[in-house]
Amino acid sequence: QVQLVESGGGLVQAGGSLRISCVASGRTLSSYVMGWFRQAPGKEREFAAAIRWSTGTTTYGDSVKGRFTISRDIAKNTVYLQMNSLKPEDTAVYYCATKYYYRQNYDYWGQGTQVTVSS
């Protein structure tokens, strides 16, 4: 079992930046992938970014590529999502999730943190 707790969401103006965090506990993460997803009201959940814990290899969704950066702090068991050049359409609840590296679906999810971008 892995527990995930997100923090750092809030209200920011368009063009601004925000960094959200996710602390993981319960398992050694060396064989896991950590991901960030988001869901806006009335829309399906969307993949934002992922990082392989052991190698630091990253992947991004098309809508955030070039603006968002995922990173991890191994000592703190924490994954970050640095969001720059924010747009009103980035407004969503952002969820941290994790899965064993070879699995297709994410198994563990955090409770989410709200990010609101005002125009």
Side-chain angles (χ1 to χ4, degrees):
Q1 192 82 1
V2 179
Q3 292 79 43
L4 303 171
V5 179
E6 302 99 330
S7 63
L11 175 65
V12 62
Q13 288 190 333
S17 298
L18 195 66
R19 188 180 79 163
I20 55 179
S21 305
C22 173
V23 179
S25 61
R27 288 277 176 88
T28 301
L29 298 176
S30 57
S31 297
Y32 283 78
V33 171
M34 301 292 295
W36 284 102
F37 293 77
R38 65 186 187 180
Q39 188 165 22
K43 295 189 176 181
E44 292 189 354
R45 187 169 59 200
E46 176 188 25
F47 170 74
I51 186 167
R52 176 126 181 220
W53 194 261
S54 60
T55 64
T57 304
T58 58
T59 57
Y60 294 93
D62 288 340
S63 61
V64 308
K65 200 172 295 184
R67 300 187 299 122
F68 291 10
T69 302
I70 189 171
S71 62
R72 84 262 195 254
D73 185 326
I74 294 175
K76 295 182 178 180
N77 254 26
T78 300
V79 62
Y80 303 98
L81 188 66
Q82 176 67 45
M83 304 180 288
N84 299 328
S85 302
L86 283 161
K87 307 174 183 179
E89 51 263 44
D90 294 318
T91 296
V93 177
Y94 284 72
Y95 296 93
C96 176
T98 188
K99 67 181 178 93
Y100 209 71
Y101 74 95
Y102 60 73
R103 288 179 59 81
Q104 181 175 2
N105 296 323
Y106 284 78
D107 299 305
Y108 303 103
W109 294 82
Q111 82 288 350
T113 187
Q114 176 71 47
V115 172
T116 303
V117 184
S118 64
S119 56

